[in-house]
Amino acid sequence: MSAPNAIPHHIAIVMDGNGRWATRRYLPRVAGHRQGVESLRRCVRACSDRGVRVLTVFAFSSENWNRPPEEVSGLMELLAMALGREVPQLKDDGVRIHIVGDRSTLSEKMRLGLAQAEATTAQNTRLILNVCFNYGGRWDIAQAAAKLATQGEAITEASLDRAMALSHVPDPDLLIRTGGERRISNFLLWQAAYSELYFSDRLWPDFDEIALDEAIADYGRRERRFGLTSGQIASSGSDRIAA
């Protein structure tokens, strides 16, 4: 059983509700995304302060290209701006950035910017921040299988796991979705097999340190069995038994 107030090693978040936050204030949807960047800044700092070692966020899904063109364009501009503004501070704070997703459809300028952000923070070790951009869980599984097929390697559970886009970190312990929805929307389909799920009614721009602490506290009260019984977990003396 997880110890009281246990801190998850890896938290993943579906940052939902930016557009609705803006609409309720009679603002353009992109204004909500800008406010969402502020919430992400707070969340990164809070996770680092609380001892979380990996934070993975769903910034832009492969399905988001179907949104109104002005919103997509605004998101691209916001990403470029955020990289320029946030990366130096993240470097100083010991945060290492990984951009996870399909870069093949992005502009050369955007690809260079993402690579530069990763290179700038490559030596940091306090917190790993995975930003899932143009990402989808089905895409991830498909690209892993294609990679193994190209290499002539047998497709097994273990080999697929090594070929996933997030193979550089352990699977998430806690997956949070904000915005009141109760689904994971093609996010980390492989990696979230045994994640604890937590759904918050708060829209992402309103998700603050108190809300994060509530999610972590809820996680700390749960028993993680990974397919075993409570008795087996108790006798093992560990809540980190692999499935």
Side-chain angles (χ1 to χ4, degrees), residues 77-101:
E77 293 176 5
L78 184 59
L79 175 64
M81 181 188 70
L83 286 173
R85 186 178 67 180
E86 305 295 338
V87 168
Q89 186 62 52
L90 291 172
K91 179 183 179 183
D92 291 342
D93 291 342
V95 178
R96 181 174 185 176
I97 303 173
H98 285 270
I99 310 297
V100 181

mmCIF file of all heavy atoms in Angstrom, residues 77-101:
data_model
loop_
_atom_site.group_PDB
_atom_site.id
_atom_site.type_symbol
_atom_site.label_atom_id
_atom_site.label_comp_id
_atom_site.label_asym_id
_atom_site.label_seq_id
_atom_site.Cartn_x
_atom_site.Cartn_y
_atom_site.Cartn_z
ATOM 1 N N GLU A 77 2.453 29.746 -32.456
ATOM 2 C CA GLU A 77 3.145 30.968 -32.051
ATOM 3 C C GLU A 77 3.431 30.958 -30.547
ATOM 4 O O GLU A 77 4.501 31.394 -30.102
ATOM 5 C CB GLU A 77 2.299 32.197 -32.404
ATOM 6 C CG GLU A 77 2.142 32.435 -33.902
ATOM 7 C CD GLU A 77 1.221 33.597 -34.211
ATOM 8 O OE1 GLU A 77 0.778 34.276 -33.247
ATOM 9 O OE2 GLU A 77 0.932 33.826 -35.401
ATOM 10 N N LEU A 78 2.478 30.450 -29.784
ATOM 11 C CA LEU A 78 2.648 30.396 -28.343
ATOM 12 C C LEU A 78 3.779 29.451 -27.966
ATOM 13 O O LEU A 78 4.578 29.750 -27.059
ATOM 14 C CB LEU A 78 1.343 29.942 -27.687
ATOM 15 C CG LEU A 78 1.308 29.907 -26.162
ATOM 16 C CD1 LEU A 78 1.594 31.282 -25.580
ATOM 17 C CD2 LEU A 78 -0.051 29.395 -25.691
ATOM 18 N N LEU A 79 3.879 28.314 -28.641
ATOM 19 C CA LEU A 79 4.962 27.381 -28.362
ATOM 20 C C LEU A 79 6.314 28.025 -28.638
ATOM 21 O O LEU A 79 7.244 27.920 -27.829
ATOM 22 C CB LEU A 79 4.812 26.110 -29.192
ATOM 23 C CG LEU A 79 5.959 25.110 -29.071
ATOM 24 C CD1 LEU A 79 6.066 24.576 -27.658
ATOM 25 C CD2 LEU A 79 5.810 23.968 -30.069
ATOM 26 N N ALA A 80 6.425 28.694 -29.797
ATOM 27 C CA ALA A 80 7.684 29.353 -30.143
ATOM 28 C C ALA A 80 8.056 30.408 -29.107
ATOM 29 O O ALA A 80 9.215 30.513 -28.683
ATOM 30 C CB ALA A 80 7.577 29.980 -31.526
ATOM 31 N N MET A 81 7.067 31.172 -28.669
ATOM 32 C CA MET A 81 7.308 32.200 -27.673
ATOM 33 C C MET A 81 7.707 31.585 -26.328
ATOM 34 O O MET A 81 8.639 32.053 -25.663
ATOM 35 C CB MET A 81 6.070 33.058 -27.485
ATOM 36 C CG MET A 81 6.236 34.176 -26.467
ATOM 37 S SD MET A 81 4.673 35.024 -26.109
ATOM 38 C CE MET A 81 3.804 33.741 -25.199
ATOM 39 N N ALA A 82 7.010 30.525 -25.944
ATOM 40 C CA ALA A 82 7.283 29.888 -24.664
ATOM 41 C C ALA A 82 8.685 29.293 -24.633
ATOM 42 O O ALA A 82 9.383 29.373 -23.613
ATOM 43 C CB ALA A 82 6.242 28.810 -24.380
ATOM 44 N N LEU A 83 9.113 28.708 -25.745
ATOM 45 C CA LEU A 83 10.459 28.139 -25.796
ATOM 46 C C LEU A 83 11.500 29.229 -25.558
ATOM 47 O O LEU A 83 12.440 29.052 -24.771
ATOM 48 C CB LEU A 83 10.697 27.453 -27.139
ATOM 49 C CG LEU A 83 9.994 26.108 -27.352
ATOM 50 C CD1 LEU A 83 10.194 25.633 -28.782
ATOM 51 C CD2 LEU A 83 10.491 25.065 -26.365
ATOM 52 N N GLY A 84 11.329 30.354 -26.236
ATOM 53 C CA GLY A 84 12.290 31.432 -26.094
ATOM 54 C C GLY A 84 12.306 32.031 -24.702
ATOM 55 O O GLY A 84 13.357 32.409 -24.185
ATOM 56 N N ARG A 85 11.132 32.095 -24.081
ATOM 57 C CA ARG A 85 11.023 32.757 -22.780
ATOM 58 C C ARG A 85 11.306 31.827 -21.611
ATOM 59 O O ARG A 85 11.922 32.228 -20.612
ATOM 60 C CB ARG A 85 9.615 33.342 -22.627
ATOM 61 C CG ARG A 85 9.439 34.175 -21.366
ATOM 62 C CD ARG A 85 8.050 34.766 -21.291
ATOM 63 N NE ARG A 85 7.034 33.722 -21.108
ATOM 64 C CZ ARG A 85 5.725 33.970 -21.013
ATOM 65 N NH1 ARG A 85 5.278 35.205 -21.138
ATOM 66 N NH2 ARG A 85 4.869 32.986 -20.819
ATOM 67 N N GLU A 86 10.864 30.561 -21.710
ATOM 68 C CA GLU A 86 10.914 29.664 -20.565
ATOM 69 C C GLU A 86 12.191 28.843 -20.458
ATOM 70 O O GLU A 86 12.620 28.510 -19.354
ATOM 71 C CB GLU A 86 9.712 28.710 -20.604
ATOM 72 C CG GLU A 86 8.356 29.388 -20.673
ATOM 73 C CD GLU A 86 8.044 30.192 -19.421
ATOM 74 O OE1 GLU A 86 8.631 29.916 -18.360
ATOM 75 O OE2 GLU A 86 7.202 31.106 -19.513
ATOM 76 N N VAL A 87 12.800 28.492 -21.582
ATOM 77 C CA VAL A 87 13.930 27.561 -21.552
ATOM 78 C C VAL A 87 15.091 28.071 -20.699
ATOM 79 O O VAL A 87 15.657 27.302 -19.904
ATOM 80 C CB VAL A 87 14.389 27.205 -22.985
ATOM 81 C CG1 VAL A 87 15.732 26.478 -22.966
ATOM 82 C CG2 VAL A 87 13.336 26.335 -23.664
ATOM 83 N N PRO A 88 15.497 29.340 -20.793
ATOM 84 C CA PRO A 88 16.601 29.788 -19.936
ATOM 85 C C PRO A 88 16.317 29.610 -18.443
ATOM 86 O O PRO A 88 17.197 29.192 -17.680
ATOM 87 C CB PRO A 88 16.747 31.272 -20.311
ATOM 88 C CG PRO A 88 16.231 31.347 -21.708
ATOM 89 C CD PRO A 88 15.085 30.389 -21.748
ATOM 90 N N GLN A 89 15.086 29.911 -18.025
ATOM 91 C CA GLN A 89 14.735 29.744 -16.616
ATOM 92 C C GLN A 89 14.697 28.271 -16.232
ATOM 93 O O GLN A 89 15.136 27.881 -15.147
ATOM 94 C CB GLN A 89 13.383 30.388 -16.326
ATOM 95 C CG GLN A 89 13.013 30.379 -14.842
ATOM 96 C CD GLN A 89 13.983 31.174 -13.997
ATOM 97 O OE1 GLN A 89 14.262 32.334 -14.283
ATOM 98 N NE2 GLN A 89 14.533 30.541 -12.962
ATOM 99 N N LEU A 90 14.157 27.430 -17.123
ATOM 100 C CA LEU A 90 14.128 26.000 -16.848
ATOM 101 C C LEU A 90 15.543 25.445 -16.709
ATOM 102 O O LEU A 90 15.807 24.598 -15.846
ATOM 103 C CB LEU A 90 13.374 25.265 -17.962
ATOM 104 C CG LEU A 90 11.870 25.528 -18.038
ATOM 105 C CD1 LEU A 90 11.285 24.895 -19.291
ATOM 106 C CD2 LEU A 90 11.155 25.000 -16.793
ATOM 107 N N LYS A 91 16.437 25.933 -17.530
ATOM 108 C CA LYS A 91 17.834 25.501 -17.419
ATOM 109 C C LYS A 91 18.394 25.857 -16.056
ATOM 110 O O LYS A 91 19.033 25.039 -15.385
ATOM 111 C CB LYS A 91 18.670 26.145 -18.523
ATOM 112 C CG LYS A 91 20.150 25.761 -18.457
ATOM 113 C CD LYS A 91 20.966 26.470 -19.520
ATOM 114 C CE LYS A 91 22.443 26.074 -19.405
ATOM 115 N NZ LYS A 91 23.270 26.809 -20.390
ATOM 116 N N ASP A 92 18.145 27.095 -15.619
ATOM 117 C CA ASP A 92 18.634 27.541 -14.314
ATOM 118 C C ASP A 92 18.009 26.758 -13.169
ATOM 119 O O ASP A 92 18.637 26.581 -12.110
ATOM 120 C CB ASP A 92 18.360 29.028 -14.121
ATOM 121 C CG ASP A 92 19.194 29.919 -15.040
ATOM 122 O OD1 ASP A 92 20.205 29.430 -15.581
ATOM 123 O OD2 ASP A 92 18.820 31.086 -15.212
ATOM 124 N N ASP A 93 16.786 26.284 -13.362
ATOM 125 C CA ASP A 93 16.066 25.562 -12.309
ATOM 126 C C ASP A 93 16.366 24.065 -12.297
ATOM 127 O O ASP A 93 15.789 23.321 -11.499
ATOM 128 C CB ASP A 93 14.552 25.764 -12.472
ATOM 129 C CG ASP A 93 14.128 27.189 -12.180
ATOM 130 O OD1 ASP A 93 14.910 27.934 -11.542
ATOM 131 O OD2 ASP A 93 13.019 27.571 -12.608
ATOM 132 N N GLY A 94 17.219 23.598 -13.193
ATOM 133 C CA GLY A 94 17.592 22.186 -13.201
ATOM 134 C C GLY A 94 16.609 21.277 -13.899
ATOM 135 O O GLY A 94 16.596 20.062 -13.666
ATOM 136 N N VAL A 95 15.769 21.849 -14.781
ATOM 137 C CA VAL A 95 14.746 21.066 -15.482
ATOM 138 C C VAL A 95 15.266 20.654 -16.862
ATOM 139 O O VAL A 95 15.752 21.502 -17.621
ATOM 140 C CB VAL A 95 13.444 21.869 -15.634
ATOM 141 C CG1 VAL A 95 12.399 21.068 -16.411
ATOM 142 C CG2 VAL A 95 12.906 22.274 -14.264
ATOM 143 N N ARG A 96 15.152 19.389 -17.173
ATOM 144 C CA ARG A 96 15.542 18.881 -18.495
ATOM 145 C C ARG A 96 14.303 18.666 -19.354
ATOM 146 O O ARG A 96 13.353 18.005 -18.925
ATOM 147 C CB ARG A 96 16.304 17.564 -18.381
ATOM 148 C CG ARG A 96 16.748 17.009 -19.740
ATOM 149 C CD ARG A 96 17.618 15.789 -19.603
ATOM 150 N NE ARG A 96 18.108 15.360 -20.914
ATOM 151 C CZ ARG A 96 18.956 14.350 -21.114
ATOM 152 N NH1 ARG A 96 19.403 13.660 -20.068
ATOM 153 N NH2 ARG A 96 19.342 14.040 -22.334
ATOM 154 N N ILE A 97 14.301 19.215 -20.543
ATOM 155 C CA ILE A 97 13.138 19.135 -21.433
ATOM 156 C C ILE A 97 13.319 18.030 -22.469
ATOM 157 O O ILE A 97 14.387 17.909 -23.086
ATOM 158 C CB ILE A 97 12.920 20.470 -22.170
ATOM 159 C CG1 ILE A 97 12.742 21.620 -21.185
ATOM 160 C CG2 ILE A 97 11.708 20.382 -23.092
ATOM 161 C CD1 ILE A 97 12.696 22.973 -21.854
ATOM 162 N N HIS A 98 12.272 17.245 -22.639
ATOM 163 C CA HIS A 98 12.167 16.308 -23.766
ATOM 164 C C HIS A 98 10.878 16.649 -24.516
ATOM 165 O O HIS A 98 9.811 16.732 -23.891
ATOM 166 C CB HIS A 98 12.097 14.851 -23.296
ATOM 167 C CG HIS A 98 13.383 14.286 -22.817
ATOM 168 N ND1 HIS A 98 14.275 13.646 -23.658
ATOM 169 C CD2 HIS A 98 13.944 14.260 -21.597
ATOM 170 C CE1 HIS A 98 15.323 13.246 -22.961
ATOM 171 N NE2 HIS A 98 15.143 13.610 -21.700
ATOM 172 N N ILE A 99 10.972 16.862 -25.803
ATOM 173 C CA ILE A 99 9.780 17.066 -26.628
ATOM 174 C C ILE A 99 9.425 15.717 -27.243
ATOM 175 O O ILE A 99 10.231 15.127 -27.971
ATOM 176 C CB ILE A 99 10.007 18.112 -27.735
ATOM 177 C CG1 ILE A 99 10.614 19.380 -27.143
ATOM 178 C CG2 ILE A 99 8.701 18.401 -28.454
ATOM 179 C CD1 ILE A 99 9.746 20.103 -26.138
ATOM 180 N N VAL A 100 8.235 15.228 -26.954
ATOM 181 C CA VAL A 100 7.836 13.881 -27.352
ATOM 182 C C VAL A 100 6.700 13.970 -28.361
ATOM 183 O O VAL A 100 5.656 14.559 -28.075
ATOM 184 C CB VAL A 100 7.386 13.065 -26.122
ATOM 185 C CG1 VAL A 100 6.994 11.654 -26.535
ATOM 186 C CG2 VAL A 100 8.474 13.042 -25.058
ATOM 187 N N GLY A 101 6.902 13.396 -29.533
ATOM 188 C CA GLY A 101 5.847 13.404 -30.539
ATOM 189 C C GLY A 101 6.419 13.343 -31.943
ATOM 190 O O GLY A 101 7.641 13.262 -32.145
#
